[in-house]
Amino acid sequence: MKPSITGPGAASRPERIPPFATPRIHFLDEQRRHRRTGAVSAALVVVVLAVSGIPLSIMISPLVVGFFAVLVRLADLVVDVPALSAWLDRVFHLLPTMWTGLRQSDVDLPWDWLVGLFVLPGVLLTLVLWALVRLIFRRTGVGGPLRRMETRPPLPGDLAEQRLANLVEEVAVAAGVPPPHVLLIDTPAANVGAAGLTMDNASVIVTRGFVDRLPRDAQQAVIAHVMSSVGNGDLTLAAEILTLLQTWGLITLLLEAPFLSAARASLVLVGRIGWRTVQGTADAPSRELALDHLLEGAGHELDMDSEELEMLPDWHPLALMFVYLPLLLSVAVVAIFAKTVIWLTALLMGPLVAFLWRTQRRLADATAVQLTRHPEALATALRTLAGLDMKVPGGVPVHFLFPVWDPEVDRDQTRTDVTSVLLRMQLPLEGRLRRLERLGGVTDRPAQPPSLGEVAREFAGAAGWLTVAALLLAVVLAASAFAAAGVLYGLGWLLDALLVALPRRIARVWG
């Protein structure tokens, strides 16, 4: 049985429900309800994440096919391969075939070709890159920007910081979580968050303002929320979501590398740190820095419309004609469409991820009440933090790792990171306080199962959003398929001009 933490007088404080007060609910009821809701929404998130990679895969599939086509065309200059050439001609003319199939009912769309060419190559490549990112950086987790700040351990001679470290250890033991590392940031902002991957390697990041400006009961309640979040697996959940975004960033960096020096520099850094990670010589800050570069790759600070785009590099004219021009007319176009698809897909999955994360926050609140038996302390702490400066410098990209944050973060139009599409990750304060008001620390009645009405509403809400997301995703898929067919059509014309028509003209001139 887990030990419990009690606030001052919590064990002997009777439950007093005044007439006409908000009806109380048991924290076990609340935990059970949010665990069930979290399980349903997590399953939906897995489905959405799995399907969300298909539009991006459709966009990069033409490049995989194009690379194979270049090899075939080069081989055709030496050895006659009519079967492969005829196959490529059909591939490169899928766009007019699709257009005709949509306009005329008597023409069937070549679904086997569409799936085989537009889905499978890109899906396989995306899965390989995702597996590499996950394998190499699996143990890094989330919260890198926080740990790379000027963090420090609690000072041995500082009584307030030592009390805080003891409090974190006490709450961790009560939550059944291994005591995490405690790191402090010297800033007047008042907040506390968690970083890492699992409860075994988690770190609690505390600001000095949190130590100085909150009483012990409030500190205990907020830390109980953070420890509950760690124990519920929220760090692992956040890491899996960010791994997908980082994979998208790696794909974008690969597509933009021929044209943007910043993308090439990021790829070199990621490759070097990734190799050192495989060898076991990379430290945690360097791995976290590599992951940040991957997230930046999925952002829109440096796009193909950036001023750094090298339209005409200082290359030999033949290299410009036979190498750079084909890359510019194919890879650059795919890079632009791929970044657009990434942001559209992130916008589609953003509300579902935010709903899941808010459910986890409510579960952590209920678990914190179970640990402290003092819901008033958590409510007071949240209200106090909302009235203070809780914005930790540099913590905006991972603001969802904190129990509270300034709601203005959802309206910040200056953010360029891909996580800016994950809106409403924080719980609204007033609704959160009302929920805490209903939570009793100890009640005489046993925990009751949820009503059928609550279950129906939860499933109806999830099904409604899933239907909307499915319709929007179908539109994105269709647009991606036509864009990919257009890229293939242009790529086929370009390869035919450079590797078929031009060599024939040269042969006639020399002949």
Side-chain angles (χ1 to χ4, degrees):
M1 183 175 180
K2 295 180 182 179
S4 62
I5 306 173
T6 58
S12 59
R13 183 169 52 249
E15 184 186 27
R16 294 189 297 271
I17 304 180
F20 310 110
T22 302
R24 293 293 184 96
I25 58 175
H26 199 282
F27 52 74
L28 294 179
D29 294 346
E30 189 81 346
Q31 290 179 40
R32 184 181 294 109
R33 185 166 69 91
H34 292 310
R35 282 197 177 97
R36 184 185 63 258
T37 305
V40 174
S41 54
L44 294 177
V45 167
V46 170
V47 173
V48 171
L49 292 181
V51 177
S52 63
I54 296 179
L56 183 59
S57 301
I58 291 176
M59 289 309 307
I60 63 179
S61 288
L63 298 183
V64 179
V65 176
F67 177 76
F68 173 75
V70 170
L71 298 180
V72 172
R73 294 301 192 197
L74 291 176
D76 193 43
L77 296 176
V78 181
V79 181
D80 190 20
V81 284
L84 288 178
S85 297
W87 182 84
L88 285 177
D89 288 338
R90 184 180 178 187
V91 168
F92 291 136
H93 286 82
L94 274 177
L95 180 61
T97 303
M98 293 169 58
W99 181 247
T100 303
L102 290 177
R103 296 178 60 191
Q104 301 179 13
S105 59
D106 57 339
V107 177
D108 294 330
L109 288 174
W111 292 108
D112 53 343
W113 284 67
L114 294 178
V115 174
L117 292 174
F118 290 165
V119 179
L120 291 182
V123 165
L124 293 176
L125 180 60
T126 302
L127 286 176
V128 169
L129 294 177
W130 172 79
L132 286 175
V133 172
R134 195 173 186 274
L135 176 65
I136 295 175
F137 299 109
R138 169 65 178 164
R139 302 302 302 175
T140 304
V142 295
L146 301 179
R147 285 186 292 207
R148 282 198 313 281
M149 295 179 187
E150 294 184 2
T151 58
R152 57 174 177 81
L155 298 176
D158 193 311
L159 183 59
E161 293 183 4
Q162 288 302 314
R163 277 201 302 261
L164 175 75
N166 294 336
L167 185 59
V168 171
E169 182 175 358
E170 176 188 348
V171 176
V173 171
V177 175
H181 299 288
V182 179
L183 299 174
L184 280 97
I185 302 176
D186 290 314
T187 175
N191 219 326
V192 54
L197 179 65
T198 65
M199 64 178 68
D200 294 323
N201 62 1
S203 300
V204 173
I205 315 294
V206 187
T207 66
R208 181 66 203 200
F210 181 85
V211 177
D212 293 334
R213 306 174 75 173
L214 267 75
R216 186 183 187 281
D217 282 355
Q219 291 180 5
Q220 183 188 67
V222 177
I223 291 173
H225 172 98
V226 174
M227 287 294 96
S228 300
S229 178
V230 173
N232 292 332
D234 291 348
L235 292 179
T236 303
L237 173 64
E240 295 295 349
I241 295 172
L242 290 181
T243 297
L244 177 67
L245 300 179
Q246 289 153 358
T247 303
W248 291 351
L250 177 58
I251 293 173
T252 302
L253 290 177
L254 289 171
L255 294 175
E256 294 176 345
F259 316 102
L260 295 178
S261 59
R264 291 194 294 272
S266 294
L267 275 181
V268 170
L269 183 143
V270 170
R272 183 175 65 250
I273 295 176
W275 178 248
R276 288 167 49 196
T277 302
V278 172
Q279 294 179 320
T281 59
D283 56 9
S286 63
R287 295 197 305 270
E288 292 164 351
L289 180 62
L291 292 179
D292 289 347
H293 275 266
L294 291 181
L295 282 179
E296 290 174 2
H300 60 81
E301 185 173 359
L302 289 177
D303 286 332
M304 293 302 297
D305 58 354
S306 169
E307 296 180 356
E308 293 192 11
L309 177 62
E310 300 169 323
M311 290 298 298
L312 287 176
D314 188 17
W315 289 13
H316 190 276
L318 291 179
L320 287 175
M321 177 178 294
F322 289 98
V323 179
Y324 192 80
L325 180 61
L327 288 176
L328 189 63
L329 296 179
S330 57
V331 178
V333 174
V334 172
I336 295 173
F337 277 103
K339 185 63 71 69
T340 304
V341 168
I342 285 175
W343 279 82
L344 287 176
T345 307
L347 286 171
L348 288 179
M349 77 173 191
L352 194 56
V353 172
F355 174 75
L356 172 60
W357 196 256
R358 293 195 304 272
T359 300
Q360 294 300 107
R361 301 279 59 73
R362 297 186 183 101
L363 176 59
D365 279 353
T367 309
V369 171
Q370 179 186 11
L371 293 175
T372 63
R373 301 297 200 273
H374 199 350
E376 296 87 352
L378 181 57
T380 300
L382 295 176
R383 193 180 296 108
T384 302
L385 289 174
L388 300 174
D389 177 17
M390 82 287 286
K391 295 182 289 186
V392 180
V396 171
V398 288
H399 68 89
F400 48 86
L401 298 179
F402 294 90
V404 292
W405 199 268
D406 189 346
E408 289 295 324
V409 69
D410 291 337
R411 294 179 285 275
D412 186 359
Q413 301 297 322
T414 63
R415 292 178 60 189
T416 58
D417 56 285
V418 69
T419 59
S420 63
V421 300
L422 301 179
L423 304 176
R424 300 182 63 222
M425 298 286 279
Q426 294 286 344
L427 292 173
L429 179 62
E430 292 305 320
R432 196 174 185 182
L433 294 178
R434 286 194 300 269
R435 194 173 295 106
L436 286 174
E437 183 183 354
R438 298 176 61 197
L439 285 175
V442 180
T443 63
D444 296 331
R445 66 178 182 84
Q448 299 295 323
S451 66
L452 292 178
E454 291 178 339
V455 176
R457 284 193 296 271
E458 291 170 4
F459 276 94
W465 167 245
L466 188 62
T467 302
V468 174
L471 293 175
L472 294 177
L473 188 60
V475 174
V476 175
L477 286 172
S480 301
F482 272 96
V487 171
L488 270 180
Y489 190 80
L491 187 60
W493 174 86
L494 186 63
L495 292 178
D496 185 75
L498 294 178
L499 299 179
V500 178
L502 184 60
R504 287 176 180 173
R505 291 185 180 180
I506 295 176
R508 284 198 298 268
V509 170
W510 284 97

